[in-house]
Amino acid sequence: MTTEPRIIIALDFPSAEPALALLQGLPPGACRVKIGKEMFTRLGPDFVRAVIDRGFDVFLDLKYHDIPNTVAAACRAAADLGVWMLNVHASGGRRMMAAARAALAERDNPPLLIGVTMLTSLAEADIAEIGYGGSPEQNVLRLARLGQEAGLDGVVCSPLESAAVRAALGDGFLLVTPGVRPGGSSEDDQQRIKTPADAIRSGSDYLVIGRPITGAADPAAALVAIQTEVQGALVAMKP
Ligand code: C5P
């Protein structure tokens, strides 16, 4: 089930200090936080605990992909850290995802388990080169369906894919989307983007947004503006 807040700030900093300074200045309860491979590799579990201790839900974006036993053990370790959401590569296969699900099912209040379908950095030619047939969208839908069957709570997808994934997999399957840019902000290196309101209207549940907030002159104001846009879209969608 989707719960507020919908905005997940991607913390992509080379050290802890600017990240914690940013969080210090944000209105409490206004966002969640994604910690990925760079910060985790530099700073480890202590940094994750420091963010959780400051009251933020953490999406640990380490995209586990290994044999089922190893992924299950990694999921238990992430759950021990107290993260709110974690992810695995759906291309690790049904048994790997089911092992992750089973490991988390041992917990009273398990983190949400999300699948990465196709990396959006892969174009059709890249996908063919690694031996997958079909278009990126066909692969996204196939892997998302497999993830749903294996018991995942949702998938990461581009906001351009949200509507198709939502239509194929129904309500209740969480869609977590990066590639979101408020109107008028820099695209940075993102190419396949939507605005926050369009992403919500397309069926995205959670929006992963980094530089439009972390690089803003006033990050708290940037967050509030995006939140207002998201709330406006949600209210307009209510039946
Ligand atoms: O700064 P920006 O909003 O582009 O950050 C987006 C975040 O989402 C980054 O941490 C990036 O690694 C991540 N991400 C992405 N596209 C994907 C998967 C993850 O931008 N397909």
Side-chain angles (χ1 to χ4, degrees), residues 10 12 34 63 120 156 178-181 189-190 208-212:
D12 292 312
K34 178 171 88 72
K63 302 185 178 70
T120 48
V156 179
V180 176
R181 286 291 178 271
D189 53 356
Q190 296 281 7
V208 175
I209 305 177
R211 289 161 290 179

Side-chain angles (χ1 to χ4, degrees), residues 7-236:
I7 298 166
I8 304 173
I9 297 189
L11 278 190
D12 292 312
F13 290 96
S15 62
E17 294 71 25
L20 294 176
L22 174 92
L23 297 182
Q24 181 80 29
L26 296 180
C31 65
R32 288 165 156 133
V33 167
K34 178 171 88 72
I35 298 174
K37 287 192 168 97
E38 179 188 4
M39 294 204 82
F40 191 80
T41 303
R42 284 193 190 283
L43 304 167
D46 284 348
F47 178 67
V48 177
R49 285 191 203 98
V51 173
I52 294 172
D53 285 349
R54 283 162 172 77
F56 291 90
D57 286 345
V58 168
F59 169 17
L60 188 63
D61 178 22
L62 297 181
K63 302 185 178 70
Y64 298 132
H65 189 177
D66 210 313
I67 60 171
N69 188 55
T70 300
V71 167
C75 288
R76 283 190 202 99
D80 288 343
L81 266 178
V83 304
W84 162 72
M85 175 183 278
L86 61 89
N87 57 3
V88 299
H89 269 286
S91 55
R94 183 190 298 274
R95 281 192 299 118
M96 188 203 80
M97 290 188 278
R101 174 80 283 158
L104 294 177
E106 298 160 2
R107 306 303 170 107
D108 282 342
N109 192 14
L112 293 166
L113 178 61
I114 301 296
V116 176
T117 54
M118 296 304 293
L119 294 170
T120 48
S121 50
L122 298 176
E124 189 142 1
D126 302 308
I127 291 175
E129 200 171 35
I130 56 172
Y132 290 13
S135 67
E137 183 172 310
Q138 285 168 329
N139 280 283
V140 167
L141 289 175
R142 193 186 70 253
L143 287 164
R145 215 171 270 122
L146 182 64
Q148 190 177 45
E149 287 171 16
L152 299 189
D153 295 304
V155 288
V156 179
C157 67
S158 148
L160 299 173
E161 293 155 354
S162 295
V165 179
R166 175 65 68 220
L169 299 188
D171 290 337
F173 197 59
L174 298 176
L175 305 185
V176 180
T177 58
V180 176
R181 286 291 178 271
S185 71
S186 161
E187 293 181 9
D188 301 305
D189 53 356
Q190 296 281 7
Q191 288 171 11
R192 305 173 65 223
I193 56 172
K194 277 197 179 187
T195 66
D198 281 341
I200 292 288
R201 282 192 283 267
S202 303
S204 299
D205 296 286
Y206 295 108
L207 311 182
V208 175
I209 305 177
R211 289 161 290 179
I213 296 169
T214 59
D218 184 344
L223 172 60
V224 168
I226 295 171
Q227 232 189 355
T228 305
E229 181 178 336
V230 165
Q231 288 309 321
L234 288 169
V235 168

